[in-house]
């Protein structure tokens, strides 16, 4: 668009101005995805760089979230409710040490919640019923809670129980005379996209690559439980089964329907939008983490080659229509930043300048209307602030399971 300055510095300045005043969507104060909690992450990252007023703005956002009763319900997860607040408080601790007493209190409740959630999940497994996203996934399930525990309580029994549950989740689910993946969900991925009989989700946000990333990160940190490596290998074998080699590189569908699973192959001929939440980027990064954790150099090479091919395919990149972290340019760029840092070759890093330019240009041409972390200005600003030599000081992206 003529007349628009799409340089990284100018775009970041505009986003910074947009994010200077917190916006409080009704009912979203304790939402990491779209509320002031996510906005706090932007101000906390800037506070690490000594930006004036950033610490105070972060405190204002967090105080706003704490003004309401904290949700400790069974549906509370990393992106909403008590675990979301705990994640942001831990992120803030280095620059706002006054939070330490309240962090200890939140962690006590977090650990209790984790145990309750595991008890409920184990009861569901014993019943033979299929899982739900809310039970196991990154955004609202035990994978997200486990990611928080891994970061701040790696020796706690609650993390051990979460990881043990995820290992059990990879065991087959016997249902109506057939073996289904243990993470099979009985519902559709979206109300507008029915999947009769349920589906097996492959995405990082809601699918089995979220547990794969968490199991791999724990294994990489030296935390090993019974069946740990075998669970990683089972998930990877499932991804191998449903990968789609093509002239433009290997890619994966978003999910496997019951009809497709029974046939043993899918009819999809082209990859869908590449993103952090769904598609090749998130799946490839999770497999790269798994390969590093288990010392599987061949899998690491294949994962990095798949991501490289995706980033080199203009048809796939043209499918991206938004700037956000979840399924836009920011998520693609940031996932690549983290994957490139671990890669065997410089091929992934070579894409970063071009991806950063496209992220800035798209943000300049279509500024995010939303304020939030996953789909709005906050996540876009955090990603754009990141470069290969300017990685997050606050580790805000721990909640994305890309590191």
């Amino acid at each position: 668009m003529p007349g628009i300055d799409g340089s990284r510095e100018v775009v970041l300045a505009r986003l910074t101005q947009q994010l200077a005043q917190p916006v409080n969507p009704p009912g979203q104060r304790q939402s990491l995805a779209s509320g002031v909690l996510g906005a706090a992450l932007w101000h906390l990252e800037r506070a690490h760089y000594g930006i004036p007023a950033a610490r105070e703005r972060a405190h204002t956002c967090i105080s706003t979230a704490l003004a309401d009763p904290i949700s400790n319900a069974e549906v509370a997860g990393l992106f909403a409710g008590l675990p979301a607040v705990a994640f942001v408080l831990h992120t803030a601790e280095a620059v706002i040490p006054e939070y330490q007493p309240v962090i200890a209190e939140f962690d006590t409740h977090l650990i209790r919640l984790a145990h309750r959630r595991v008890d409920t999940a184990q009861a569901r497994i014993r019943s033979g019923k299929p899982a739900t996203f809310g039970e196991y996934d990154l955004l609202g399930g035990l994978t997200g809670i486990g990611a928080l525990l891994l970061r701040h309580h790696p020796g706690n029994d609650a993390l051990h129980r979460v990881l043990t549950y995820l290992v059990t989740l990879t065991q087959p689910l016997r249902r109506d005379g057939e073996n289904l993946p243990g993470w099979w969900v009985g519902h559709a991925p979206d109300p507008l996209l029915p999947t009769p009989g349920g589906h097996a989700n492959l995405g990082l946000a809601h699918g089995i690559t979220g547990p794969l990333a968490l199991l791999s990160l724990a294994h990489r940190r030296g935390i090993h439980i019974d069946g740990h490596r075998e669970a990683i290998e089972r998930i990877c074998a499932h991804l191998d089964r449903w990968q789609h080699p093509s002239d433009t590189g290997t890619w994966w569908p978003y999910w496997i329907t019951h009809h497709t699973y029974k046939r043993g192959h899918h009819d999809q001929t082209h990859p869908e939008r590449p993103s952090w939440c769904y598609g090749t980027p998130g799946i490839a990064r999770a497999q790269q983490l798994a390969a590093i954790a288990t010392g599987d150099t061949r899998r690491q090479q294949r994962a990095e080659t798949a991501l490289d091919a995706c980033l080199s395919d203009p048809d796939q990149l043209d499918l991206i229509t938004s700037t956000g972290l979840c399924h836009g340019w920011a998520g693609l760029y940031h996932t690549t930043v983290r994957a490139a840092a671990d890669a065997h070759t410089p091929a992934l890093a070579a894409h970063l300048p071009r991806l950063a330019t496209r992220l800035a240009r798209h943000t300049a041409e279509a500024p995010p209307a939303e304020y939030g972390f996953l789909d709005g200005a906050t996540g876009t600003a955090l990603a754009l602030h990141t470069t290969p030599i300017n990685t997050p000081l606050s580790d805000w992206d721990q909640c994305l399971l890309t590191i």
Side-chain angles (χ1 to χ4, degrees):
M1 187 178 293
I4 291 181
D5 188 340
S7 66
R8 175 178 174 272
E9 292 75 15
V10 169
V11 173
L12 259 179
R14 291 173 183 156
L15 290 172
T16 300
Q17 185 176 16
Q18 180 181 350
L19 295 169
Q21 298 299 322
V23 175
N24 303 310
Q28 298 295 309
R29 285 184 175 180
Q30 294 168 25
S31 169
L32 185 62
S34 56
V36 289
L37 277 178
L41 295 180
W42 165 247
H43 299 305
L44 289 170
E45 179 67 16
R46 285 166 54 79
H48 274 273
Y49 284 88
I51 304 297
R55 182 185 183 277
E56 288 71 23
R57 285 172 177 163
H59 178 66
T60 297
C61 290
I62 295 170
S63 298
T64 301
L66 292 175
D68 290 341
I70 306 301
S71 173
N72 195 21
E74 293 302 306
V75 295
L78 181 56
F79 278 77
L82 185 143
V85 178
F87 173 77
V88 174
L89 286 173
H90 274 291
T91 306
E93 185 176 9
V95 292
I96 313 179
E98 299 93 316
Y99 285 157
Q100 288 176 357
V102 73
I103 289 173
E105 181 181 353
F106 268 82
D107 283 355
T108 298
H109 291 291
L110 172 70
I111 289 168
R112 290 174 182 166
L113 175 64
H115 282 295
R116 292 204 314 269
R117 294 288 298 271
V118 171
D119 289 342
T120 301
Q122 288 175 334
R124 191 276 306 166
I125 290 174
R126 290 192 297 270
S127 75
K129 296 178 181 178
T132 63
F133 286 165
E135 177 187 294
Y136 78 84
D137 76 5
L138 172 60
L139 269 62
L142 280 162
T143 296
I145 292 173
L148 185 53
L149 292 171
L150 175 63
R151 178 67 175 171
H152 300 291
H153 298 282
N156 193 280
D157 183 57
L159 174 62
H160 185 279
R161 293 193 70 207
V162 170
L163 296 176
T164 300
Y165 153 74
L166 292 177
V167 169
T168 304
L169 189 72
T170 68
Q171 298 285 355
L173 172 70
R174 186 70 178 173
R175 188 161 178 81
D176 298 329
E178 65 177 333
N179 284 333
L180 298 171
W183 57 90
W184 191 270
V185 296
H187 55 78
D190 185 282
L192 300 178
L193 299 168
T195 53
H199 75 286
N201 200 288
L202 303 186
L204 185 57
H206 294 300
I208 194 55
T209 47
L212 176 63
L214 177 59
L215 288 166
S216 302
L217 288 167
H219 198 282
R220 191 178 183 182
R221 290 188 61 175
I223 299 172
H224 304 144
I225 61 171
D226 291 344
H228 198 146
R229 186 183 181 107
E230 292 79 4
I232 291 173
E233 291 171 349
R234 275 193 292 273
I235 298 171
C236 287
H238 180 81
L239 295 173
D240 290 347
R241 177 182 177 184
W242 296 107
Q243 68 185 10
H244 189 107
S246 70
D247 293 340
T248 55
T250 299
W251 54 271
W252 290 264
Y254 284 1
W255 52 74
I256 308 301
T257 66
H258 190 231
H259 177 67
T260 297
Y261 189 80
K262 290 180 71 173
R263 287 191 309 162
H265 65 89
H266 60 87
D267 294 329
Q268 188 175 328
T269 57
H270 300 286
E272 297 179 77
R273 178 189 59 207
S275 60
W276 164 79
C277 59
Y278 277 114
T280 298
I283 294 173
R285 174 56 172 163
Q287 289 201 70
Q288 183 193 37
L289 290 171
I292 294 169
T294 60
D296 188 342
T297 55
R298 292 183 62 189
R299 181 170 297 280
Q300 181 173 353
Q301 182 181 24
R302 292 198 302 268
E304 292 168 5
T305 298
L307 180 53
D308 179 33
C310 170
L311 300 173
S312 302
D313 183 0
D315 291 336
Q316 288 191 62
L317 297 185
D318 285 346
L319 296 173
I320 305 172
T321 58
S322 64
T323 63
L325 277 176
C326 191
H327 44 257
W329 285 104
L332 178 66
Y333 171 69
H334 197 76
T335 302
T336 306
V337 168
R338 288 306 194 184
D342 285 330
H344 276 318
T345 73
L348 296 181
H351 291 283
L352 292 174
R354 178 173 55 90
L355 292 177
T357 297
R358 294 192 73 168
L359 169 59
R361 177 168 58 82
H362 280 270
T363 304
E365 293 175 355
E370 294 185 46
Y371 184 79
F373 174 71
L374 276 187
D375 292 316
T378 300
T380 301
L382 282 165
L384 201 55
H385 186 261
T386 303
T387 69
I389 58 174
N390 184 34
T391 54
L393 295 181
S394 64
D395 287 339
W396 60 263
D397 57 337
Q398 291 283 334
C399 63
L400 301 179
L401 274 186
T402 52
I403 184 173

